C-alpha cells in the first residue's frame, strides 16, 4: 500500500451493453505468481490481446477451423508498426551521450559533441535491455538522423524514458514529462512537431534524470500499419463468460459448432503441491449444434513475450517429445536469472512451455513474423509457439482438446543472498515431470478445482449473500497469484507477496495484513509463510530495530528492507494481530510461542508508542503522514489485546494481566479522545473529521471485544451517511477508498441490510469501472476510476466476512 510507485496503466473501456454483462474489470486466464499471470481486459475475449497484469501484451491466440472456415475465439490482434527511424529495440543505433553537465546550448544543432562518448541504444541500467550502461543520475543524448521524406502522415514518436525527460528536435523543445515511461510511449507527431523536421539531417537531443531505480532512454519514429482484412478470418460469437474461484469459462459459436473454452489455474489452497505447480489448463470442447457432423481443428498460439521482459529480447525456442507429451519450449538467450528487481517488470529468465498429449492429430510449429516455421529450433524476437489439433468429425457428442501452459523459472526469489528453488522443485522434480503429472491427473485435478470452487462460493454465499460471493470469486486467484511459494534455507514455508504497482516490494507486512483472511480460513500455513520471513529478519539480527520491518526487499530479491521509511506502529500491530489470529484459528499458541521473544519486544514498543502515534506513515501511506491517527491507535490497541490472548494460551499469566489492564485503559482513553459528536474522528486532535476504523474488525472477529459494541454501532451509523456510488471513502480528506477496508468496515455492521449497503457499491465498482485491469483496491468513490494499484494480493481481505462466520 504505497504512494511510491513508478506508474500505473488505466485501460479505458466503453461499455457496449449494460454493466451487468460484465463479470469483472479484467478476467484471469493464467494465474500462478507475479510473473506468470495472463489476463483479458475486455468482456469479449476476442476484443483485445491478452496481457500480463502490468499491461504488457502476453498474447494467446486461439482459432477454430470449422468446415474450412477459421474462427478466432481467443485474443485480439496487436497493432503493428513500421519503423521510420528505428528505436533501440529494433536497431542498436549509435548516438552521442554524456553523463556530465554539458552546458546550456547542448540541445542546439550546432553544438560540438565531439568530446562526448558514443554508445548503442537503448541506454539505461536494465540487464538484457540496455546496450549502453547508464548508472548515474543524469544523461544527455544526441541522435543525428537523416530523413529523405518529411511528409510523415500519421507518424508517431516512439519514446522510452525513466524518470524525468525533456526532448528537443533540431534545437526546439517538443516534449517533457515527469516520472517515467517504462514501456514505449507512442506520441503523435503533431503539425507543430513535424514543422521542425527538415529534409536531410535532423537531431534529437534528450535529457533524462533518473530519480531512483530503473534508468531508460530510447527514441525513434514509427507509423502504424493498416491491418489487412482477411475475409477468411472470422470472429467467433461469444455467448457467455463465467468466473469461479479457479476457472474462467467462455462459450462461443463457431459456425455450426459450439465451443466451450475453459482456463483452469489449479490454485488449490489446501494442496500446496498442486497449487505451486506452474501449469495451467486451456481446454476446448466442441460439439455440433445442428445435428450434423463437421470437420473441426483447433489451434493455440502462445507468444514468447511471456518469457521476456520486453519484446526486444532475443528468444530461443525448441520443440521435442517427452513423457508422452509434445512440447514447445522458449526462453531468452541471455537467461539473466534474478538479475532484475522492480515493479513494472516481467520475468526474462527460465522457460515457458506449451504442451499437449502426443498423438498423430497434433502438430506443433513456430510462428516468426507472421509466418509458420516447422524447424526443431529457432531464434528471434516475439516468436509464437503454435499447436494445431485436428479433432476430425465432430457431432453432437463433445470432443475435448487440452493444452498445457507452464513455466519453469529455474530460481524463484533470492532470500538473503541465496537463490531459492520454486516449491515444486524442492524434491528434485523437473518441469517435464510436472507437465506429465498435470496431463495424467487432469480429470482428478479438475474435480478438485470444482470442489474448491463450490466451497469458496458456498462459504461466501452463506456469510454474505450472492453479491458478496461474486466478489470473493473475483478475489481468489488474484490474491494467491500475487505470491510466490518457496522454502527457506531452514526449511520453513515462505509465501512471498509482490506489491503489484505499488512499488514492487517483496513480503510487505502491510500487504500481508489485508490479504490474511483468505489464508486464515483455508490454510493458515500460508499465512505463516507470509510472516516467517519477517520474523527471521528480526530474529537473525539482520533487522535490529525494536519494531517490525516493513518489507524484505524489492521483488524478487528478498535481501532486506528497501522501502525508504519505517512504519513502526503499523507493522508491529500487523504482525501481532496476525500471530494472534493464527493462534485463535488453530486453537493453540505454538506458532506464537516460537516467536514469543520477538512478539514481546514489539508489544513493548506498542505499549510505549502505539496509543497516540507520532507523525508517521501507516498502511494507507498514499494519503501521507498523519499524527495522532485514531485508526492506527485502534490497531495498536487491538494488537495488545491479541498479545494478551496469546500470553494466556502459553501460560504467561503476569504478562497477560499486565497487557489486559493496559488494553482496557487504552480503550477507555481512546473513546474519550476520539469522540466527535455522532462519530469518532480521524485524529485525536482534529474534530470535524472522520475515517473508517477498519482495524476494529479484528476485535470483533477474534471475539476479544475490548471495544464496546456501541463504538461499532456509532461508526457504522455514521458511515452510512457518507457513502458514494462506488463506496465509502477512506476518510474525510479525499473521495478515494480502499475496497478491502470497506469489506472490513462492513463486518462491523450487526445486520444484513447495513452489511450489504457497504458491499453492493464495491460490486457496482467492479462492474462499472473504466479501469480495465485486475481489480484495483484503490479507487475513486464518485467516478469508479482506479487511483492506483492493481492485481494485488490484498483482495484476500474480501474474505473477512467468511472469516467472521467461521469463527462463530
Amino acid at each position: 500500500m504505497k504512494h511510491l510507485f513508478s506508474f500505473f496503466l488505466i485501460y479505458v473501456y466503453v461499455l457496449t451493453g449494460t454493466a451487468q454483462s460484465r463479470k469483472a474489470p479484467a478476467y484471469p486466464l493464467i494465474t500462478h505468481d507475479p510473473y506468470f499471470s495472463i489476463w483479458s481486459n475486455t468482456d469479449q475475449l476476442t476484443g483485445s490481446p491478452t496481457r500480463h497484469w502490468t499491461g504488457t501484451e502476453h498474447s494467446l491466440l486461439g482459432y477454430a477451423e470449422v468446415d474450412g472456415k477459421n474462427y478466432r475465439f481467443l485474443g485480439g490482434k496487436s497493432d503493428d508498426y513500421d519503423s521510420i527511424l528505428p528505436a533501440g529495440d529494433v536497431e542498436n543505433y549509435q548516438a552521442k551521450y554524456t553523463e556530465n553537465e554539458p552546458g546550456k546550448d547542448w540541445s542546439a544543432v550546432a553544438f560540438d559533441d565531439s568530446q562526448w562518448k558514443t554508445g548503442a541504444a537503448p541506454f539505461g541500467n536494465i540487464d538484457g535491455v540496455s546496450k549502453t550502461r547508464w548508472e548515474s543520475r543524469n544523461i544527455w543524448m544526441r541522435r543525428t538522423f537523416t530523413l529523405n521524406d518529411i511528409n510523415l502522415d500519421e507518424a508517431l514518436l516512439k519514446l522510452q524514458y525513466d524518470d524525468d525527460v525533456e526532448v528537443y528536435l533540431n534545437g526546439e523543445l517538443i516534449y517533457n514529462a515527469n516520472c517515467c515511461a517504462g514501456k514505449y510511449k507512442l506520441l503523435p507527431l503533431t503539425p507543430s512537431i513535424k514543422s521542425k523536421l527538415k529534409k536531410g539531417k535532423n537531431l534529437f537531443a534528450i535529457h533524462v534524470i533518473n530519480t531512483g531505480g530503473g534508468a531508460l532512454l530510447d527514441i525513434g519514429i514509427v507509423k502504424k500499419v493498416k491491418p489487412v482484412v482477411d475475409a477468411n478470418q472470422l470472429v467467433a460469437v461469444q455467448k457467455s463468460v463465467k468466473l469461479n474461484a479457479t476457472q474462467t469459462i467462455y462459450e462461443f459459436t463457431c459456425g455450426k459448432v459450439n465451443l466451450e473454452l475453459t482456463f483452469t489455474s489449479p490454485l488449490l489452497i489446501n494442496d500446496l503441491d498442486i497449487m505451486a505447480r506452474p501449469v495451467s489448463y486451456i481446454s476446448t470442447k466442441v460439439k455440433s449444434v445442428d445435428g450434423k457432423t463437421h470437420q473441426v481443428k483447433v489451434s493455440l498460439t502462445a507468444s514468447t513475450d511471456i518469457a521476456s521482459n520486453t519484446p526486444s529480447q532475443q528468444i530461443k525456442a525448441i520443440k521435442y517429445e517427452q513423457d508422452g507429451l509434445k512440447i514447445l519450449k522458449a526462453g531468452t538467450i541471455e537467461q539473466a536469472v534474478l538479475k532484475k528487481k522492480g515493479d513494472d517488470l516481467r520475468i526474462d529468465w527460465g522457460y515457458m512451455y506449451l504442451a499437449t498429449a502426443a498423438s498423430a492429430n497434433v502438430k506443433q510449429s513456430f510462428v516468426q513474423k507472421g509466418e509458420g516455421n516447422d524447424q526443431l529450433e529457432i531464434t528471434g524476437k516475439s516468436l509464437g509457439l503454435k499447436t494445431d489439433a485436428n479433432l476430425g468429425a465432430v457431432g453432437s457428442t463433445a470432443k475435448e482438446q487440452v493444452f498445457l501452459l507452464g513455466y519453469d523459472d529455474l530460481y524463484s526469489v533470492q532470500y538473503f543472498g541465496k537463490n531459492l528453488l520454486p516449491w515444486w522443485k524442492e524434491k528434485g522434480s523437473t518441469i517435464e515431470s510436472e507437465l506429465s503429472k498435470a496431463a495424467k491427473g487432469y480429470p482428478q485435478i479438475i474435480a478438485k478445482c470444482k470442489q474448491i470452487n463450490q466451497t469458496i462460493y458456498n462459504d461466501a454465499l452463506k456469510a454474505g449473500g450472492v453479491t458478496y460471493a461474486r466478489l470473493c470469486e473475483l478475489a481468489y486467484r488474484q490474491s494467491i497469484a500475487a505470491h510466490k511459494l518457496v522454502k527457506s534455507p531452514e526449511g520453513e514455508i515462505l509465501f512471498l507477496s509482490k506489491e503489484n504497482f505499488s512499488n514492487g516490494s517483496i513480503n510487505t507486512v502491510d500487504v500481508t495484513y489485508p490479504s490474511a483472511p483468505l489464508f486464515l480460513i483455508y490454510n493458515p500455513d500460508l499465512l505463516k509463510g507470509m510472516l516467517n520471513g519477517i520474523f527471521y529478519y528480526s530474529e537473525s539480527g539482520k533487522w535490529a530495530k525494536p519494531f517490525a520491518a516493513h518489507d524484505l526487499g524489492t521483488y524478487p530479491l528478498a535481501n532486506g528492507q528497501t522501502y525508504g521509511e519505517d512504519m513502526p506502529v503499523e507493522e508491529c500491530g500487523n504482525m501481532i494481530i496476525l500471530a494472534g489470529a493464527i493462534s485463535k484459528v488453530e486453537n493453540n499458541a505454538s506458532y506464537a510461542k516460537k516467536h514469543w521473544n520477538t512478539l514481546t519486544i514489539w508489544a513493548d514498543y506498542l505499549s510505549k508508542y502505539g496509543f497516540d502515534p507520532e507523525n508517521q506513515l501507516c498502511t494507507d501511506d498514499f494519503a501521507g503522514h498523519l499524527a495522532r491517527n485514531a485508526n492506527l491507535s485502534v490497531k495498536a490497541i487491538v494488537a495488545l489485546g491479541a498479545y494478551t490472548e496469546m500470553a494466556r494460551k502459553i501460560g504467561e499469566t503476569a504478562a497477560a494481566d499486565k497487557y489486559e489492564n493496559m488494553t482496557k485503559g487504552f480503550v477507555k482513553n481512546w473513546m474519550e479522545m476520539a469522540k466527535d459528536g455522532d462519530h469518532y474522528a480521524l485524529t485525536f486532535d482534529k474534530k470535524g473529521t472522520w475515517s473508517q476504523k477498519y482495524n476494529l474488525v479484528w476485535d470483533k472477529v477474534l471475539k476479544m471485544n475490548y471495544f464496546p459494541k456501541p463504538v461499532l454501532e456509532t461508526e457504522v451509523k455514521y458511515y452510512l451517511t457518507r457513502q458514494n456510488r462506488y463506496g465509502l471513502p477512506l476518510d474525510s480528506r479525499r473521495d478515494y477508498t480502499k475496497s478491502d477496508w470497506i469489506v472490513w468496515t462492513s463486518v462491523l455492521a450487526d445486520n444484513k441490510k447495513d452489511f450489504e449497503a457497504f458491499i453492493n457499491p464495491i460490486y457496482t465498482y467492479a462492474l462499472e469501472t473504466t479501469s480495465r485491469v485486475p481489480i484495483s483496491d484503490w479507487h475513486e468513490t464518485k467516478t469508479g476510476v482506479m487511483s492506483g494499484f492493481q492485481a494485488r494480493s490484498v483482495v484476500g481481505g474480501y474474505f473477512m466476512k467468511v472469516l467472521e462466520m467461521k469463527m462463530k
Side-chain angles (χ1 to χ4, degrees):
M1 301 182 173
K2 304 292 158 280
H3 66 295
L4 296 176
F5 52 93
S6 295
F7 63 93
F8 53 85
L9 300 175
I10 296 178
Y11 297 94
V12 178
Y13 171 75
V14 179
L15 291 173
T16 56
T18 66
Q20 292 301 316
S21 65
R22 185 197 295 185
K23 301 295 191 299
Y27 297 82
L29 305 179
I30 308 295
T31 48
H32 288 276
D33 60 42
Y35 286 139
F36 194 26
S37 179
I38 305 174
W39 300 69
S40 172
N41 292 347
T42 47
D43 298 314
Q44 297 292 317
L45 186 58
T46 56
S48 66
T50 57
R51 299 178 183 273
H52 185 257
W53 67 260
T54 58
T56 294
E57 287 185 20
H58 277 184
S59 175
L60 299 173
L61 282 172
Y63 286 88
E65 182 184 305
V66 181
D67 298 331
K69 293 183 179 180
N70 279 312
Y71 298 85
R72 176 165 49 87
F73 60 81
L74 166 58
K77 293 190 175 181
S78 306
D79 291 332
D80 291 324
Y81 298 88
D82 280 340
S83 293
I84 298 171
L85 177 67
D89 61 332
V90 176
E91 176 186 303
N92 301 134
Y93 62 85
Q94 300 287 306
K96 292 286 189 176
Y97 75 100
T98 183
E99 296 175 64
N100 301 316
E101 179 71 43
K104 63 179 182 178
D105 296 325
W106 68 274
S107 63
V109 173
F111 180 82
D112 181 7
D113 58 17
S114 60
Q115 299 304 307
W116 288 21
K117 298 176 184 177
T118 300
F123 296 81
N125 63 3
I126 308 300
D127 291 332
V129 174
S130 305
K131 296 302 180 184
T132 298
R133 299 296 295 188
W134 160 40
E135 304 283 1
S136 61
R137 179 175 172 83
N138 288 277
I139 189 170
W140 291 262
M141 185 266 272
R142 289 165 58 91
R143 180 182 186 184
T144 301
F145 60 99
T146 300
L147 290 177
N148 295 320
D149 183 359
I150 59 173
N151 295 315
L152 304 181
D153 294 337
E154 301 180 17
L156 302 163
L157 188 68
K158 181 178 177 180
L159 184 62
Q160 186 179 50
Y161 55 90
D162 192 349
D163 293 286
D164 303 342
V165 67
E166 51 184 353
V167 181
Y168 295 83
L169 173 58
N170 293 328
E172 297 187 58
L173 182 67
I174 61 169
Y175 181 78
N176 66 292
N178 293 324
C179 197
C180 42
K183 304 180 183 73
Y184 286 99
K185 274 190 174 182
L186 298 178
L187 306 169
L189 282 184
T190 63
S192 174
I193 294 175
K194 283 191 280 190
S195 69
K196 298 172 178 54
L197 288 167
K198 300 180 294 184
K199 190 172 182 178
K201 188 176 179 181
N202 291 267
L203 172 75
F204 279 130
I206 307 171
H207 175 210
V208 179
I209 303 172
N210 179 27
T211 58
L216 290 167
L217 168 56
D218 194 15
I219 193 168
I221 301 174
V222 298
K223 183 176 182 179
K224 187 175 179 180
V225 178
K226 293 182 179 180
V228 178
V229 178
D230 186 346
N232 295 319
Q233 296 287 346
L234 305 173
V235 178
V237 177
Q238 184 175 311
K239 297 165 61 179
S240 67
V241 57
K242 295 184 289 186
L243 270 172
N244 55 46
T246 66
Q247 297 173 304
T248 303
I249 305 166
Y250 295 87
E251 287 192 37
F252 296 92
T253 298
C254 303
K256 299 298 183 180
V257 165
N258 269 358
L259 184 148
E260 182 181 272
L261 175 66
T262 302
F263 296 88
T264 305
S265 292
L267 300 183
L268 303 181
I269 198 169
N270 54 0
D271 187 331
L272 297 188
D273 288 341
I274 293 178
M275 189 190 88
R277 181 184 294 156
V279 180
S280 277
Y281 302 103
I282 303 174
S283 161
T284 58
K285 289 182 181 178
V286 293
K287 65 178 181 180
S288 170
V289 295
D290 64 357
K292 300 177 182 179
T293 59
H294 301 275
Q295 294 297 315
V296 179
K297 299 177 183 177
V298 293
S299 72
L300 178 69
T301 303
S303 171
T304 60
D305 290 346
I306 294 168
S308 67
N309 181 42
T310 67
S312 63
Q313 293 178 276
Q314 284 283 339
I315 300 290
K316 178 181 178 180
I318 64 172
K319 62 179 177 179
Y320 60 103
E321 291 191 29
Q322 187 170 327
D323 296 335
L325 296 174
K326 289 187 174 182
I327 301 173
L328 295 167
K329 170 185 177 181
T332 59
I333 291 175
E334 183 186 23
Q335 289 298 306
V337 179
L338 293 170
K339 295 298 183 183
K340 297 182 181 67
K341 63 177 181 178
D343 202 347
D344 185 27
L345 291 173
R346 290 138 301 277
I347 194 167
D348 62 358
W349 70 90
Y351 299 91
M352 63 177 289
Y353 295 80
L354 179 60
T356 192
S359 68
N361 74 317
V362 172
K363 176 187 175 183
Q364 291 188 315
S365 60
F366 304 112
V367 179
Q368 186 172 34
K369 297 181 179 179
E371 300 295 329
N373 187 308
D374 290 325
Q375 294 176 261
L376 294 177
E377 181 179 309
I378 188 174
T379 60
K381 300 177 183 179
S382 293
L383 307 174
L385 307 184
K386 186 180 183 185
T387 298
D388 295 283
N390 187 347
L391 302 183
V394 174
S396 57
T397 300
K399 286 189 177 182
E400 182 176 20
Q401 178 66 45
V402 179
F403 304 90
L404 307 177
L405 191 63
Y407 205 99
D408 178 2
D409 56 6
L410 305 180
Y411 289 95
S412 300
V413 299
Q414 189 174 94
Y415 184 71
F416 295 102
K418 182 176 177 59
N419 292 350
L420 300 185
L421 293 167
W423 179 276
W424 58 271
K425 273 191 173 181
E426 279 289 328
K427 298 176 183 178
S429 185
T430 65
I431 189 64
E432 288 85 3
S433 176
E434 295 300 308
L435 289 166
S436 178
K437 286 187 284 187
K440 293 173 182 176
Y442 174 67
Q444 295 79 17
I445 292 171
I446 293 298
K448 289 181 179 181
C449 286
K450 290 180 177 178
Q451 186 176 24
I452 198 72
N453 295 344
Q454 189 173 31
T455 296
I456 296 299
Y457 181 79
N458 288 344
D459 283 352
L461 180 68
K462 183 178 179 181
V466 172
T467 297
Y468 176 67
R470 289 172 177 163
L471 278 174
C472 288
E473 287 183 313
L474 186 62
Y476 181 86
R477 272 176 281 174
Q478 176 171 318
S479 185
I480 294 174
H483 297 83
K484 189 67 182 183
L485 184 65
V486 294
K487 281 187 180 179
S488 74
E490 294 74 31
E492 287 192 317
I493 183 174
L494 295 174
F495 194 48
L496 303 175
S497 64
K498 178 178 180 180
E499 276 204 61
N500 291 340
F501 272 11
S502 58
N503 89 339
S505 292
I506 186 170
N507 202 198
T508 302
V509 177
D510 57 286
V511 166
T512 293
Y513 177 67
S515 307
L518 169 62
F519 305 102
L520 270 170
I521 299 162
Y522 298 108
N523 195 336
D525 283 344
L526 287 173
L527 180 55
K528 293 174 188 175
M530 298 155 77
L531 305 182
N532 285 338
I534 299 295
F535 278 122
Y536 171 79
Y537 195 14
S538 284
E539 292 162 1
S540 66
K542 299 177 190 298
W543 177 261
K545 297 179 182 181
F547 47 80
H550 170 272
D551 61 76
L552 291 185
T554 301
Y555 199 92
L557 306 183
N559 294 323
Q561 179 173 312
T562 52
Y563 190 60
E565 186 171 344
D566 298 329
M567 298 186 191
V569 174
E570 174 69 37
E571 310 305 13
C572 284
N574 294 337
M575 291 295 291
I576 294 172
I577 289 171
L578 295 181
I582 290 170
S583 298
K584 187 78 170 181
V585 166
E586 295 187 334
N587 198 30
N588 72 74
S590 59
Y591 185 72
K593 189 173 183 178
K594 180 179 179 181
H595 302 291
W596 192 246
N597 289 341
T598 304
L599 289 168
T600 298
I601 291 169
W602 293 343
D604 180 65
Y605 185 90
L606 291 182
S607 73
K608 296 173 181 175
Y609 306 108
F611 172 71
D612 193 355
E614 296 177 348
N615 191 40
Q616 61 190 275
L617 295 173
C618 70
T619 184
D620 304 315
D621 55 355
F622 50 83
H625 294 73
L626 193 63
R628 314 198 73 188
N629 183 337
N631 187 46
L632 186 58
S633 176
V634 169
K635 177 170 288 184
I637 295 168
V638 172
L640 293 175
Y643 180 83
T644 299
E645 300 289 312
M646 290 185 285
R648 292 213 184 280
K649 279 190 171 73
I650 65 174
E652 295 282 347
T653 304
D657 290 343
K658 171 187 172 182
Y659 279 97
E660 181 177 12
N661 291 332
M662 184 185 298
T663 303
K664 289 179 178 178
F666 281 162
V667 169
K668 181 180 178 182
N669 292 340
W670 187 93
M671 292 170 61
E672 294 173 355
M673 293 170 64
K675 187 65 175 174
D676 188 12
D678 60 352
H679 66 284
Y680 294 91
L682 169 68
T683 66
F684 291 140
D685 59 342
K686 293 180 181 177
K687 304 306 178 184
T689 62
W690 65 274
S691 64
Q692 291 188 48
K693 309 300 188 302
Y694 54 80
N695 288 315
L696 285 168
V697 73
W698 291 104
D699 189 47
K700 180 181 181 182
V701 168
L702 299 181
K703 303 191 182 307
M704 297 185 293
N705 301 319
Y706 284 100
F707 283 85
K709 188 176 180 180
V711 172
L712 279 64
E713 293 172 340
T714 295
E715 286 294 89
V716 167
K717 183 178 179 181
Y718 184 80
Y719 297 152
L720 291 171
T721 70
R722 314 305 299 184
Q723 293 258 74
N724 291 323
R725 176 171 178 80
Y726 298 111
L728 177 67
L730 181 66
D731 57 47
S732 53
R733 291 174 290 178
R734 293 279 298 273
D735 288 327
Y736 57 52
T737 194
K738 293 284 277 76
S739 56
D740 47 347
W741 299 150
I742 294 178
V743 175
W744 289 22
T745 293
S746 75
V747 179
L748 302 180
D750 61 4
N751 63 82
K752 181 180 179 181
K753 179 182 177 182
D754 289 348
F755 168 76
E756 291 181 343
F758 292 115
I759 292 297
N760 290 342
I762 304 175
Y763 193 56
T764 301
Y765 154 68
L767 295 181
E768 295 183 1
T769 179
T770 55
S771 304
R772 302 309 302 268
V773 300
I775 193 166
S776 169
D777 53 285
W778 179 25
H779 70 269
E780 297 289 335
T781 59
K782 289 184 176 179
T783 66
V785 174
M786 65 183 285
S787 300
F789 311 160
Q790 64 194 52
R792 301 204 316 158
S793 67
V794 302
V795 294
Y798 288 5
F799 284 80
M800 183 61 86
K801 187 67 175 175
V802 180
L803 179 62
E804 181 198 33
M805 178 185 73
K806 296 284 188 179
M807 298 298 287
K808 290 181 179 178

